[in-house]
Amino acid sequence: MAFPLAFAAGAAAVLALPPFSVLPAALLAYSALFLLVADAGPRRGLALGWAFGLAYFAFGLSWIAESFAVDAERFGWMAVPAVAGLSALLALFPALACAAFTRVHTSGATGAVLFATCWTAAEWLRGHVLTGFPWNLTGYALAEFDMLRQSAAWTGSYGLSFLVVLASVLPAAALRAEGVRRTGCLVLFGVLCLAVLAAGWLRLAATPPEGTGVRLRIVQGNIAQAKKWLPDQREAIFARYLRLSAAPGAFDVLLWPETAFPGDLDEDPAAVARIARMLAPDRILLTGVPERVADAEGTRYFNTIQAYDAEGGPVADYAKHHLVPFGEYVPRWLPIGRLVETPGDFTPGPGPRTLALPGLPLVGAAMCYEIIFPGHVADDAIRPDWIFNATNDAWFGTSIGPRQHLASARMRAVEEGLPVVRAANTGISAVIDAEGRIRDRLGMERTGIIDAELPAARPPTLYARLGDLVLPPLVLAALLLAWLTDGGAARLWRRT
C-alpha cells in the first residue's frame, strides 16, 4: 500500500505547481512522503522516492508528448515512451533524496530540516547533472503568489524549494513527535511562514524604482509549429510579422520570438532590407534566429538572438548556451535523431552575455529553454538592466507546458531583481517586472502585439550576488532553529 500512496503523493505535488498552484497539495504530498520514508530503510526509501518522482514527473511533464504530435507520422509513436522514460530517469533524484534521509532517522524539527535538505540537494543535482533539467522546482509552488515568491530574491529557487518542503513536512514531523519536540515543530512552522510573509511584504513595500521610459513592442505571430518551416508559408509568415510590427504606435525596441523569421535572416539581404525600411533610425529589432558559421572547423549552427537597426545590422548577437537535448542536439552515444529538422546539431555559445544597444538599457539575452536555469541568465561581469527571453512554445500547444515555462521566467525576475520581457511565438508573451508580477501579457494561440513600458531594474539581490552559495547558510540557520525548538534552548537554559 505504501508504494501506491507514494505515487499518489507525487501526482498531488503537481497540483501545487503552476498553473494549478493549489498550496495545500504541497502540504499533503510532502507530508505523506515524509511519513512513508521516516521509518524506512535505504532500499525502501529509494523505492518510495522513485514512485513519488515517477508520478511527479509523468504528470508534470505530460505536455512533452505534444511535441511528438507536430510530426506525428515520424515521431508520434515515441510520445508515451519518451515521457515515461524521462520520468523514470528524473525520478532517481527524489529516490536519492529519500534514501539519503533514511540514513538519518532523526525526529522532530531537526528531522524535517534534514528531509528538506536532502530533497533540495537532489533537486540542485537535477538542475546540474548532464547539463541539468531544473523544470518544475518545488519552490515554484509559490511562483504565482506575489508576496510568497519574493523570498527567492534572497534564497533563489533552490532555497525556496527548501522552504516549501520544510514548511510542508513540519506538520507531519509534529504528528510523529511528542512533548517539546512536537511544540518545536509547530513553532518552527509558524516562524517559517511568518518569515516568508514578512520578507515578501518588505520587498513589495519598498519604494518602487522609477520607470525607464523605454517603449517596448512585442509581436506574437501565432504560427503553428507544423507550418513554420513549410516553404510555401515563408512569405506569409514574414509578412505577418512585418504587418504587426508596423501597427500604429511608438516604440523604441521591437521584440520578435525565437525563429520568427523561418530561415537564416542574416543570409537574406532582401529580408533584412524590408526590416530596415520598417524601423525608424532610433529603433532596434531583437529577434531569435538560427545562424550558421563556416570556419576551419567546418559549418557550425547556432540558435541566436540578433539585433538589427535601420541601417540593416545585425548590430549585436548572442548564441544560446543551454541547448535542448534531443531538440537541438543529441548526445553522440545515442543512435537516435533530433525532433527538430536541422542540417546538424547546434553548437552552444560561451554563456550569458550582456548586449549594449544604441539608446537602450543594457539587455541580457535568454533563449527559450535557458530561462529555466536559476543563476545562469545574467552576465556576472556586466549586469544587464533587463532580460529578453525569446521563445517558441508552439511545440506544446495549449498544454500546461507554456504556463510552467512562464512561471520559470517570473522566478528569474525575482532572483535577479531584473524585469524579464518574453516574446513567444504562440504565447505566452509577457512583460514581467523585477518582483515577478506580470504587467502585460498575450495568451496562447493569439495573434497580436503588446505595447508597454520597460519596467525598471532593482539593485542586485542577494541571490544575484552570491548565487547558490546562499544555500549552506540557509540550511545551517534552519538546523540551528530546529535544534533550539527541539529542546536545545531548554537544555542551554538549564546549564546556565
Side-chain angles (χ1 to χ4, degrees), residues 129-435:
V129 172
L130 297 177
T131 76
F133 187 64
W135 193 280
N136 279 353
L137 300 179
T138 308
Y140 293 174
L142 307 184
E144 295 189 339
F145 300 92
D146 287 350
M147 189 174 294
L148 300 182
R149 67 171 173 267
Q150 301 306 318
S151 294
W154 292 277
T155 68
S157 287
Y158 295 114
L160 203 61
S161 292
F162 174 79
L163 298 178
V164 168
V165 174
L166 178 56
S168 297
V169 302
L170 278 168
L175 287 176
R176 289 175 47 81
E178 296 179 352
V180 67
R181 282 180 171 266
R182 175 173 292 178
T183 303
C185 290
L186 298 176
V187 168
L188 184 56
F189 177 79
V191 168
L192 183 60
C193 293
L194 287 174
V196 170
L197 287 169
W201 182 83
L202 287 171
R203 191 164 191 264
L204 292 176
T207 303
E210 297 181 0
T212 62
V214 175
R215 299 164 299 178
L216 307 171
R217 171 165 289 179
I218 304 170
V219 179
Q220 185 168 298
N222 190 29
I223 309 298
Q225 187 62 35
K227 294 182 178 180
K228 176 176 283 291
W229 298 102
L230 296 177
D232 62 348
Q233 295 292 315
R234 178 169 176 164
E235 173 56 30
I237 292 170
F238 188 37
R240 179 183 295 188
Y241 272 96
L242 292 174
R243 174 176 54 80
L244 291 169
S245 302
F251 60 86
D252 300 302
V253 57
L254 179 64
L255 302 169
W256 288 3
E258 180 183 19
T259 60
F261 179 80
D264 298 304
L265 183 57
D266 60 337
E267 297 181 13
D268 192 332
V272 172
R274 292 170 69 180
I275 291 172
R277 288 195 296 270
M278 177 194 63
L279 295 173
D282 56 348
R283 291 176 176 176
I284 295 289
L285 166 68
L286 279 169
T287 181
V289 293
E291 180 181 15
R292 58 184 173 185
V293 176
D295 54 25
E297 300 180 16
T299 301
R300 294 180 294 158
Y301 302 89
F302 298 89
N303 197 358
T304 70
I305 291 176
Q306 296 179 353
Y308 289 84
D309 60 12
E311 301 299 319
V315 295
D317 68 356
Y318 158 80
K320 183 177 184 179
H321 66 280
H322 265 300
L323 301 178
V324 180
F326 309 107
E328 293 172 317
Y329 79 99
V330 174
R332 296 182 184 276
W333 47 273
L334 288 176
I336 58 177
R338 292 180 308 278
L339 291 176
V340 180
E341 195 70 37
T342 59
D345 282 353
F346 283 103
T347 299
R353 182 184 175 195
T354 297
L355 305 180
L357 301 174
L360 294 177
L362 295 174
V363 56
M367 178 69 83
C368 192
Y369 175 71
E370 290 182 314
I371 204 67
I372 75 170
F373 289 88
H376 291 273
V377 296
D379 187 344
D380 293 331
I382 305 175
R383 175 178 164 84
D385 298 301
W386 60 295
I387 296 170
F388 173 49
N389 176 214
T391 188
N392 176 25
D393 289 347
W395 287 96
F396 311 114
T398 57
S399 68
I400 62 175
R403 296 176 175 88
Q404 294 175 350
H405 204 183
L406 176 64
S408 291
R410 299 178 75 175
M411 295 307 301
R412 299 296 84 76
V414 176
E415 290 169 350
E416 300 292 341
L418 296 174
V420 174
V421 181
R422 192 168 193 264
N425 178 25
T426 56
I428 304 166
S429 297
V431 178
I432 305 167
D433 67 18
E435 294 78 37

